Amino acid sequence: MAAKLILSMNGAVLREYPLNKERMTIGRKAHNDIVIDNLAVSGEHAAVVTIMHDSFLEDLDSTNGLEVNGVPTKKHFLQNNDVIEIGKHKLKYINDQITQTTSADFERTMVMRSPVGQPAAAKAGTMKTQAKPDQPGVDELVEKTGKFAPASAAKPAVPAATKPAAQGDAAKVAVVQILTGANAGKELELVKNLTTLGKPGLQVAVLTRRPQGFFITHVEGAKFPLVNGQALTNQAYQLNDHDVIELAGIKMEFYFKG
C-alpha cells in the first residue's frame, strides 16, 4: 500500500492523498498535487519526494514556513504518523512499510553557491574554495563526513543512448565530478542511498541508489535539472555512465569507477 498524506483542519479530515508520484507539491496554486486554498500557504509551499518506500519533505522557500511534529523545519525525512503543519492545516503522513533510509542519507551532500563576501561558515570536514575577483559567486561542495578528492581530469561526456545502464550498477562505485566553477575537478563518491545536490531555494535534486542503478529526481525549483542538455521531468531518471548533469548553475559528471 502506498504511503499517504491525510489533510485536516481543526480536527476534521478534508482529504487523503496517496503518494503515488516521485514528487508531489503542496501549495495554494491550482497546479499543485495537494492544493490548500489559504492565504497563509505559499503558491508552491513544499514538496514531498517519494522513492520506493521512503518519503522526505522539502520547504520550497515558503513565506510562512512549516512545522513537523511542532518543530520548524526546511527538510525532513518523513516517518509514520508524522504531522506536517502548514498554517492552520495539518497533513498526517501514514506509511506502514519498513523504511531502509535515514535522514542522514539524504542530507549528506549539497552543492551550493554563496554570494561573494558572504562565504558559508566553515564546518568540520568541509572543503571551501575562495572566489576569484571575476567570479559571481563561490562554488562550494559541503559534505557532512569525509572529504572530496581532486581528480586528474574530467572524462568526456558520452550520450546516454550509447551507454545503457547495466543491471547491478548500484553495486559499483559511482562518482560525481564537478566540471565547472571554483571546485572543477573535485569528485565525490556516492556512498549513501540518497544524496542531495543543489542550492536550497533555487534548485535541488536527489541522487538515489537502487538495485537497478542510480537515479536522479527533481526536488525543488521552477526549472528542472538538465542531463546531457535535456531537462528532467517529474519522474526519476536513471543515470548512465558519463551522463553530464547541470544543476544550480554547475555542471557535473556522473560515472562509475574502474
Side-chain angles (χ1 to χ4, degrees), residues 21 48-49 64 102 117 136-137 164 166 173 180 191 211 223 228 232 234 246:
K21 294 171 59 179
V48 175
V49 173
N64 295 317
T102 67
V173 177
T180 61
V191 297
K223 293 185 178 180
N228 302 325
L232 296 179
N234 280 323
E246 187 170 348

Side-chain angles (χ1 to χ4, degrees), residues 72-91:
T73 185
K74 284 288 187 180
K75 179 189 296 184
H76 180 78
F77 180 78
L78 290 168
Q79 300 181 62
N80 192 34
N81 291 321
D82 276 351
V83 176
I84 305 164
E85 296 181 50
I86 301 177
K88 294 182 179 180
H89 289 78
K90 294 183 178 181
L91 286 158

